[in-house]
Every structure is written in C-alpha cells, then in structure tokens.
Amino acid sequence: MSVRSKPNREGEVFAQPEYGGNELPEGWASGRFDSITELNPRHPSGLDDSQLVTFVPMTCVSESSPDFDRSNERPLAEVRKGYTHFADGDVLFAKITPCMENGKGAVATGLKNGLGCGTTELHVIRPLGGINPHYVYRFLQQESVRRGAAANFTGSAGQLRAPMSFIAELELPLPPLAEQRRIVGKLELLLGKVSSSQQRLSRVPGLLKRFRQSVLAAACSGKLTADWRESFPTEPCGDSEELSELPTSWRTQVLESITEAGRPISYGVLKPGPFVEDGIPLVRIVDIVRDRLALDEMHRVSPELSAQYRRTVLSGGEILISLVGTIGRIAWSPPVLCGANVHRNIGVIASGADVDSKFLSFSMQSESVQSQIRDVTTGASQPLLNLGDVRQLRIAIPPLTEQQEIVRRVEKLFAFADQIEARLKQAQTHVDRLTQSLLRKAFRGELVPTEHTLATADGRDYESASGLLERIQTSERAESQQPRQKRRQVRKK
C-alpha cells in the first residue's frame, strides 16, 4: 500500500493510503469514512447522569489489541463534559503522538450500560449499516494508515495530532458483511499465533542472559574446567576458609594486587571538553554494551586533551568499569582501541603479567564480583562507585594456564549464545513483519475466499458491498428527512 494525496472538501491535501491493485475483488466496493461511519458522535441527551459508564484513559488502551481495560467506572455526570464519548461497537483511534504511531486503538465492547467516556486524545469511529467494527479497527492498524496520519499531523512539537479530516477522507475497501466477519475471524486466528510466537521469542533474551551468567559462574568457581584439572593437575596454593568452595590450586586476591606494576587503577578524562570529528576515540559508559564495546559511534577528543591524561590512554587489553550511574558495566578493551582514552565515569584496570586480561574481564562480570560491587555502591539518585572500593574487590585466581583454558571455553560458549541471538533477531524481524503482511492480504481480498466466489459455487445470491453502501446512503437520507417531516406535522397541527 502506498500513499497518495487527496484534497478534502475544504481544499486541504491529506496523504491518503492507496492500494496495490486498482481493481477491488468482485463484490467489494470502496467507501469514504465520512460516508460509511459516524465520526466523533456524542451521547444523546436525556440520559440519566447518575448511571455509571466505563471510563477509558489512554493508559488503558492497547497498542496491539482491540481489547482494553474496562475496570474504571464513573457516573456519567462526571465525564459527560470534557471527555470523548463512545458506545458499544465504536472504534477508538489514538490521535496524539506517539500513541498514534505506536498503534493505540480499540473496539468498544462490554461498556458499563453500553456507554463510555475517555481521553480527548481519541477519535471515535462508529460504523454504519452493520459494518464490522473489528474490520475497521484492523484497517486502521496498518502501518500505511499510521504513516499517512503522521504525515498529516497538526499542532506543535510534543502535541502533534492526526486530524479527524484525515480519517474522514480515508477510503475503506469494503467486502460484503459475511466476508468481513470471515476476514476478522481469520485475522484473529492468525494474529493470535503471531502474538504467541512473539511472546515465546521475547523470553529467549532472558534465557540467554541466564545462560551467560551460569557460564561465568561456572568459570569463576572452577566448575567449568573441572575435567581439565584432572588431565592437568596443579599444586595446591591456599587453605583459607574463603577457598573452601574453590579448587585447591586457586587463590583469592584483591584486585589492586594483580594489576600491572606501575599502572594503578585510574579514572578517565576529567573534563572531556569539545568533541572533534578527527581525534582520539573517547570511551563512554553508553559505549559499553553488555560485555563489549560499541566502536562505531564513539565520540572523539583532541590529541592534546587526551595527552593530559596519559594514565588512562589505552594500549589494548585493559578492563573498563563504569563508575557513575549505571554501575558495574564491564568491557575488555580490544587492540584496535590502542591510543584511545576514557571518560571520567570509567575506571581503567590493567592486569598483571600472571593474570589473563580476558579472564579478569569475565571474572568481573560474574555475579560473585558484581555482588561485591553492589555492596560498595553509594548514592541513591546518582549511584557512585569509588576507585578505592574497586581496588579492594576480591578475585578468585586460578593458575595462568587454567585461566587461558577458561577464556577459551567461555568464548566458545558465548559465541554459541551470540549465534542464537543473531538468529533470534532474524526470527523476531520476520514475525514482526507478519502482522502487516496479513493485514495487507486481508484488505486485498486474499486472506479468505470472497463472498462472490462462495455464493457462485453455492448458486445463491448475496448482498454485495455496493448494495451495502446504497443501503447506508438510503438510511442516511431517510434520517435527514425526519426533522423536515416533523416540522410539517407541527405546521399542520
């Protein structure tokens, strides 16, 4: 579906969704919303103001389902003025950004006393002639419609709204009523399966996170390399109580005792100053994504400024730790960042000769060390981690050869998790596209057999969409003549 421009009755031009084929399926017709629906209707006068009605704020409206929260009820007298009116069978369409782009909308059903009031940021569409409201709702859920509405926003920044004029000018590809019901039923079935797939896929990142943590826990407790130690036994080196759960060849040491001689743990550039296009890469906390550095969007500082803070110039292989705000993010500095510097909210740790830097990075990501970091973090609104406390973190250290074996195994297992994560993203992208693909098929008449095809096969007649539109127009003409007839009766009396 593309978008074309169409002038409305006042001469304004609105972006209008346009469908791939010029011809509608047999038995279908196209009707403008302002001729087949009642837009933003009001509650009739004379209602009992003490009766309860359903109240719907924007927070109760879903972004992906026609259902909504009906738990709020208020007396009609409290919400008749200053709120949007709707009734059972109406379609709700969020008009304000970003709710509109996010797909917020609903079909009003199950309202208290059949009536509802809600946020003024909703457009209300009342289908006429028995047109299925769920069919209208699904039409409005298409990305092409939402893009067209966004292209016609009015108002100021932060208060942009899709005008009702845009809705009024939309043309709805309309099948016969029986076919509408079949389309809605098929969409509910298929979109239900899509939703179930999305929910199952959404659980995978949590599983992968727990998998990585379990790998690190096994790595930093000696369980990951238990079989390796049987083939490569080493001499015991400690007997303290804190080593009781660790292999006898392991030892625990404070972090500052296993760092590179002459290079203490330090924080980065105190005042980054102005960023430059061609300069020295500056690692910030936002560049630490999970356990690695995002190299593509790093800011840069002048070489002169970086040179003033030589103690944190990277040579590759350092461990970086976040000290402010999001505490305890850990990343290993790859050789490609040789010569880069770090922001003042990041600490730099260079491991000593008998400690593998990647092993130290994995160890500091483990829960055993992260729990120590949480215990010494200070501040509520702005959490802080002091370098003095970082230097005193206790690290379980195996012999260097076992460290290297641990790194090899962890990297292999993490690579496996990365492959699953990459496939997960592909699957999520595919599933996310299914919804819009199904909607496009539905409004092209390709999702279910058309009523014309079924009626022809059964040898029966059916009401085409053209007949439905004529019936709606006849009904509207009759209603418009009623006031005139009443005035004539009054004059006769």
Side-chain angles (χ1 to χ4, degrees), residues 58 63 94-105 121 146:
M58 187 64 79
E63 296 179 356
K95 61 184 177 182
I96 192 168
T97 185
C99 298
M100 191 283 296
E101 298 97 311
N102 292 340
K104 284 210 169 193
E121 301 301 348
R146 300 279 170 164

Side-chain angles (χ1 to χ4, degrees), residues 39-54:
L39 302 175
N40 285 342
R42 303 286 297 176
H43 288 331
S45 58
L47 295 176
D48 181 4
D49 281 350
S50 66
Q51 68 177 314
L52 293 176
V53 299
T54 302

Side-chain angles (χ1 to χ4, degrees), residues 284-295 329-331:
R284 301 162 296 155
I285 291 179
V286 294
D287 298 320
I288 303 177
V289 181
R290 205 170 64 208
D291 59 342
R292 63 201 67 182
L293 293 173
L295 305 177
R329 285 189 184 181
I330 306 293

Side-chain angles (χ1 to χ4, degrees), residues 421-492:
E421 196 167 52
R423 293 180 181 178
L424 169 65
K425 290 180 180 178
Q426 293 176 351
Q428 286 175 323
T429 299
H430 176 70
V431 171
D432 291 344
R433 289 174 179 170
L434 279 177
T435 295
Q436 292 302 316
S437 175
L438 290 170
L439 291 176
R440 286 192 296 270
K441 284 180 175 293
F443 296 104
R444 289 199 300 256
E446 301 173 358
L447 196 62
V448 299
T450 65
E451 184 67 9
H452 173 78
T453 301
L454 296 178
T456 301
D458 296 341
R460 58 177 173 83
D461 294 330
Y462 70 98
E463 183 188 48
S464 68
S466 299
L468 170 62
L469 293 178
E470 178 60 30
R471 181 159 53 81
I472 292 173
Q473 293 170 2
T474 301
S475 176
E476 287 183 331
R477 284 196 296 268
E479 290 180 2
S480 66
Q481 292 173 1
Q482 286 180 2
R484 184 182 305 173
Q485 293 171 352
K486 289 181 180 180
R487 287 195 297 271
R488 289 175 179 173
Q489 294 174 358
V490 170
R491 284 197 294 269
K492 288 180 180 180

